[in-house]
């Protein structure tokens, strides 16, 4: 293939003979020489069959952060190469600095880097690498396109972890957890529902905690100390159906649920509780259970990264069947979904009686602030359209209230908060239940 340099030479060279005698003969001669030079340049360009491409390996990055993806290019031929390379990624990977020029001697390798600032979580894939090998004159080149495939070229996928803004709340929530655990000297030191150790009675201890049998054996007054429940099970159920695609502010409702679930999972892991994940709509999209705390948290985060809203109605019967098939140990089940009447009344309510009999159920929903804003009429000059919009918004809020009342009648604890306070409120409910021994 010819280059812009060759086209420029033709543009400048062809009109020049027209000013001299015998223009057509000279024009033909110039064209012939140019084509000959381009042909020789193509022959001199190194073949691309000797080029090797290698990624460094799998990489992960949090959404909103920037990373670099290295690409090692090698010359496996016996001829020097003048290369131009374009490393193309999907648009949501936010690729920058994708074009590179390099000169490689035989047997030489060179590492190139492409800067990525992803705009969506999940797997962002490299599409292809386009290679051009130029001749020494730069008049023509050979070209090859190579599509990336993880089975052939591992490392061509960037795993973008979901945004985790509630991470800033961890110190505060962990401090509350340490207070419940008796690690900080407070008024409620050592309070809990699981027996911890026996110790000598000191002034100020609750006399109801005296263990009289142990006191008789040791001939001293000893008291029982308690600690919060440990090794309890927390199951996060993420609804990835159509209601999770609704935008709250500038992000889908699912992203707010993932953020709250991540905070909850980290807290539970720090409290030595077991955390499981179930994400579903009409099918199970992610499921994480079993394993130790050190390995489970990375698995949870990685599984949530690949979740995307699906425009289908969620099958809550599928979730209930999975939860009821588990062992009979009581668990805290936190369902992240929307307080919409149709999917709750038709899908979830018929299953709740069996779920609440075996488990403690919490339903967490992000409240849309625009609904409350639309329910307010302008202070003056309200039109008929404004009245209709306000009436529709009031009807939506009333239905939301009725759904909440129905859930609470079934023994479900409902968390209905704005996006700014949603993750914090869900974490506080978990800490409250843990401190009260109700997990």
């Amino acid at each position: 293939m010819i280059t812009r340099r060759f086209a420029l030479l033709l543009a400048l060279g062809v009109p020049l003979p027209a000013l001299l005698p015998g223009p057509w003969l000279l024009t033909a001669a110039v064209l012939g020489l140019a084509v000959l030079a381009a042909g020789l340049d193509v022959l001199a360009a190194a073949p691309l069959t000797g080029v090797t491409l290698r990624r460094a390996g799998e990489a992960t990055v949090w959404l909103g952060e920037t990373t670099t993806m290295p690409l090692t290019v090698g010359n496996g031929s016996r001829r020097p190469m003048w290369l131009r390379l374009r490393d193309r990624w999907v648009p949501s990977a936010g690729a920058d600095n994708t074009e590179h020029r390099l000169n490689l001697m035989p047997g030489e390798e060179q590492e190139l880097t492409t800067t990525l600032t992803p705009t969506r979580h999940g797997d962002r894939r490299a599409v292809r690498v386009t290679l051009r090998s130029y001749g020494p004159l730069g008049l023509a080149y050979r070209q090859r396109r190579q599509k990336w495939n993880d089975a052939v070229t591992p490392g061509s996928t960037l795993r973008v972890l979901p945004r985790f803004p509630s991470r800033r709340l961890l110190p505060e929530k962990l401090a509350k957890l340490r207070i419940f655990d008796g690690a900080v000297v407070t008024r409620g030191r050592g309070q809990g529902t699981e027996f911890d150790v026996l110790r000598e009675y000191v002034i100020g201890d609750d006399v109801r905690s005296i263990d009289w049998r142990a006191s008789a054996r040791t001939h001293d007054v000893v008291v029982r100390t308690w600690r919060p429940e440990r090794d309890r099970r927390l199951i996060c159920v993420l609804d990835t159906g159509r209601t999770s695609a609704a935008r709250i502010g500038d992000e889908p409702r699912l992203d707010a649920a993932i953020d709250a679930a991540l905070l909850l999972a980290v807290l539970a892991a720090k409290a030595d509780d077991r955390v499981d994940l179930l994400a579903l709509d009409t099918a199970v999209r992610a499921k994480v259970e079993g394993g130790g705390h050190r390995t489970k948290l990375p698995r949870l985060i990685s599984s949530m990264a690949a979740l995307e809203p699906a425009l289908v109605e969620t099958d809550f019967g599928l979730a209930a069947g999975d939860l009821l098939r588990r062992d009979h140990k009581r668990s805290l089940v936190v369902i992240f979904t929307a307080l919409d009447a149709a999917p709750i009344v038709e899908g979830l309510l018929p299953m709740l009686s069996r779920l609440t009999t075996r488990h403690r159920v919490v339903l967490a929903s992000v409240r849309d602030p625009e609904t409350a804003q639309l329910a307010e009429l302008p202070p003056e000059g309200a039109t008929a359209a404004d009245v209709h919009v306000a009436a529709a918004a009031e009807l939506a809020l009333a239905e939301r209230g009725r759904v909440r009342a129905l859930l609470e009648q079934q023994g479900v604890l409902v968390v209905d908060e704005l996006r700014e306070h949603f993750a914090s409120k869900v974490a506080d409910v978990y800490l409250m239940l843990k401190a009260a021994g109700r997990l």
Side-chain angles (χ1 to χ4, degrees), residues 116-321:
L116 301 177
T117 308
T119 57
R120 292 173 57 191
H121 63 79
D123 290 336
R124 307 296 105 189
R125 301 185 183 278
V127 178
R128 69 172 63 91
V129 170
T130 303
L131 288 165
R132 289 182 179 179
S133 175
Y134 288 85
L137 299 178
L139 300 178
Y141 58 85
R142 303 170 188 260
Q143 179 168 305
R144 189 188 85 187
R145 292 183 178 180
Q146 176 173 326
K147 291 186 177 180
W148 286 106
N149 185 346
D150 277 329
V152 180
T153 52
S156 58
T157 301
L158 174 69
R159 175 58 62 94
V160 184
L161 304 179
R163 201 186 304 275
F164 190 15
S166 62
R167 184 168 31 185
R168 70 184 189 280
L169 301 174
L170 274 175
E172 172 197 345
K173 306 304 179 185
L174 290 175
K176 289 184 178 180
L177 186 63
R178 287 194 295 269
I179 290 175
F180 295 152
D181 202 18
V184 178
V185 178
T186 63
R187 182 180 178 184
R189 182 174 187 265
Q191 298 295 324
T193 57
E194 282 190 354
F195 173 72
D196 190 11
V197 293
L198 293 171
R199 61 172 176 82
E200 291 186 4
Y201 173 85
V202 295
I203 297 176
D205 283 339
D206 189 348
V207 294
R208 292 174 297 179
S209 62
I210 297 176
D211 189 320
W212 296 108
R213 290 186 179 181
S215 301
R217 289 195 302 269
T218 59
H219 305 288
D220 199 357
V221 180
V222 295
V223 296
R224 293 182 177 183
T225 58
W226 307 87
R227 67 179 185 183
E229 302 166 314
R230 294 180 184 271
D231 198 30
R232 294 299 189 263
R233 174 170 290 177
L234 166 67
I235 305 174
C236 296
V237 180
L238 290 175
D239 175 8
T240 59
R242 64 170 182 83
T243 58
S244 68
R247 301 194 71 82
I248 306 296
D250 58 350
E251 65 181 10
R253 176 180 274 116
L254 179 61
D255 286 9
I258 289 175
D259 176 41
L262 284 175
L263 179 63
L264 197 58
V266 174
L267 279 178
K270 294 291 185 181
D272 293 329
D273 289 333
R274 291 185 291 170
V275 188
D276 293 344
L277 170 69
L278 179 64
L280 78 167
D281 37 73
T282 56
V284 175
R285 304 301 177 185
K287 187 175 182 179
V288 178
E289 57 184 354
H293 296 320
R294 293 184 179 180
T295 59
K296 183 173 282 188
L297 269 179
R299 288 168 55 205
L300 282 169
I301 296 172
S302 182
S303 297
M304 291 183 190
L307 295 177
E308 294 286 349
L311 299 181
V312 294
E313 201 69 58
T314 300
D315 183 3
F316 285 105
L318 188 63

Side-chain angles (χ1 to χ4, degrees), residues 34-47:
V35 171
L36 179 62
L40 293 174
D41 210 31
V42 169
L43 293 175

